[in-house]
Amino acid sequence: MGKKRALISVSNKEGIVELAKELVELGFEIVSTGGTKNALKEGGVPVIGISDVTGFPEILEGRVKTLHPKIHGGLLAKYDDPSHQAQLSENEIGKIELVCVNLYPFKETISKPDVTPENAIENIDIGGPAMLRASAKNHQYITVLVDPADYNQVIEEYKNNNETTLKTRRTLAAKVFRHTAAYDALIAEYMTNLAGEEQPEKMTVTYELKQSLRYGENPHQKAAFYQKPLGSAFSVAAAEQLHGKELSYNNINDANAALQIVKEFSEPAAVAVKHMNPCGVGTGKNLFDAFGKAFEADPISIFGGIIALNREVDGETARKLYEIFLEIIIAPSFSDEALEILTGKKNLRLLKVSFDGNGAGENTLSSIEGGLLVQEQDAFGFEDAEISVPTKRKPTEAEWEALKLGWKVVKHVKSNAIVVTDKDMTLGIGAGQMNRVGAAKIALEQAGSKAEGAALASDAFFPMDDTVEAAAKAGITAIIQPGGSVRDEDSIKKADEYGIAMVFTGVRHFKH
């Protein structure tokens, strides 16, 4: 059967010449195709062309070159089976001991903003996955490489033992099947979107390991952080960490929550988050002003919190931030002065996030035991609502501003949710209560005397008039809620009784 053979055909040519030279030194013949063959020849590596092995030319612009019995026979034969050996000999098929293949750059192709369907489809690899899957299936006999990070280990094993271990081959085969599964998942997603399918009968998702985490929500839980290929740039997953300790599982969840809130605002805004709920939100004429209001909203809960800001952090704001113990500060950028100030805290995590695009197109995925819930993001805003005012009194201009702010924030508070605001900051937040009046009491108690003349926002309708009653007694003058209860009239009458202006949006914002 001649020399040992290695089949090499790669799109990513990192380290490939060096690998091939090492294999030649170890007594391998190198079989290759197309651009890889040319790269190896230019690198001084003796190469046998695929057509010399198959006896058949590469055809259809290279679409068919490795799909041939003389290749796949060598990849799928059981080398300790006499009948397989006889068939190989009878058909003059050479053994292939090592395969190094990676695939057409489909992900890179579809990431281009001007990609056409024709170009994307042309970059769907057929022969590559076939060779990888065949070799990985037959890992009892074949070493298969798909990742340049594994080249050195394989070479070292060959140098030391003249072969790789079954454990290594099985580990590499598992990586191959993950690689081809991820590749096909991207293709499936692209083609599903191209076909306009909204709820396909099967959904396969793929993510890439971004970071191993020390632990999960609690120290006894193992965890890791994965990133969606070609996912939103406006995300913690795509953030650049400029300073501070490694992010934890809870940090990542909280930072994501803070980002989702701050993206609601076009004016300078600051958001403070604790345990995935906002504890303070402020807007202002500049970032310093906005953060001052977010801090004032709840100076106790902000301790150890996560801050998201939608403008470059300047020196003045950085000095204010430095005074407080914070876990993370997220912003589109930091001035040199701000970085000099904030990096004075060794453990403070600084995340730079692109605010371009805002990432509203991705579905949200929530795992349950044995399943997955998939839904569109709640991108419904005030401007999308069919606003009505069922009460006798209409909101004043200042009340409208407060109502809009409350409506932006309440969407991001765990249900049942109530938010009390004035025109540029939150005053009280009631989150995650089992009944709505309970959430209102928490928010109103936090607001205290500031509730006088303020607005109240509810994530869902009032099933009875007790929330309006509590709001009125605290001094609330305007309320925004979805409406839609069979007892709406009770709440409207109660609001009229106290002279409260109440706005219906027609849309609820449950968040579980």
Side-chain angles (χ1 to χ4, degrees), residues 133-343:
R133 287 171 57 81
S135 308
K137 174 178 177 174
N138 210 25
H139 68 271
Q140 179 74 27
Y141 314 98
I142 295 177
T143 301
V144 56
L145 287 163
V146 75
D147 184 352
D150 297 318
Y151 293 175
N152 286 340
Q153 179 190 350
V154 165
I155 291 299
E156 285 305 307
E157 289 193 20
Y158 267 108
K159 283 180 176 178
N160 294 333
N161 305 308
N162 203 34
E163 65 177 1
T164 55
T165 66
L166 177 59
K167 183 176 185 296
T168 294
R169 294 195 297 276
R170 183 158 290 161
T171 299
L172 293 172
K175 180 178 276 195
V176 163
F177 284 117
R178 293 195 299 272
H179 184 76
T180 56
Y183 191 78
D184 278 340
L186 277 179
I187 295 169
E189 182 179 44
Y190 178 82
M191 294 299 293
T192 298
N193 291 336
L194 191 63
E197 293 278 0
E198 292 187 354
Q199 293 188 344
E201 77 293 339
K202 286 184 172 61
M203 188 181 76
T204 306
V205 294
T206 184
Y207 290 85
E208 298 165 352
L209 182 65
K210 180 179 175 69
Q211 180 186 335
S212 294
L213 301 173
R214 286 186 299 138
Y215 54 83
E217 279 185 289
N218 300 290
H220 58 274
Q221 295 170 271
K222 293 179 181 177
F225 183 24
Y226 286 80
Q227 181 174 5
K228 181 179 171 66
L230 308 180
S232 169
F234 182 84
S235 67
V236 181
E240 178 186 357
Q241 184 166 349
L242 304 178
H243 180 71
K245 286 196 303 186
E246 189 178 85
L247 292 170
S248 72
Y249 183 99
N250 292 332
N251 288 157
I252 293 163
N253 260 330
D254 287 339
N256 177 64
L259 271 181
Q260 298 311 312
I261 303 168
V262 84
K263 80 176 183 182
E264 297 278 355
F265 297 92
S266 55
E267 68 271 38
V271 172
V273 162
K274 286 289 286 292
H275 301 292
M276 294 179 68
N277 275 309
C279 58
V281 178
T283 62
K285 60 183 183 295
N286 55 44
L287 201 62
F288 181 80
D289 185 31
F291 176 69
K293 288 167 182 168
F295 174 77
E296 183 189 342
D298 191 342
I300 296 172
S301 298
I302 201 172
F303 183 84
I306 281 76
I307 305 297
L309 308 159
N310 66 351
R311 296 289 192 277
E312 179 174 90
V313 181
D314 57 275
E316 184 183 28
T317 306
R319 279 186 283 275
K320 180 70 174 172
L321 289 161
Y322 188 88
E323 294 171 4
I324 308 159
F325 168 59
L326 299 170
E327 291 277 0
I328 305 173
I329 301 170
I330 310 161
S333 57
F334 297 79
S335 72
D336 291 342
E337 183 185 7
L339 276 177
E340 186 176 350
I341 293 164
L342 295 171
T343 53

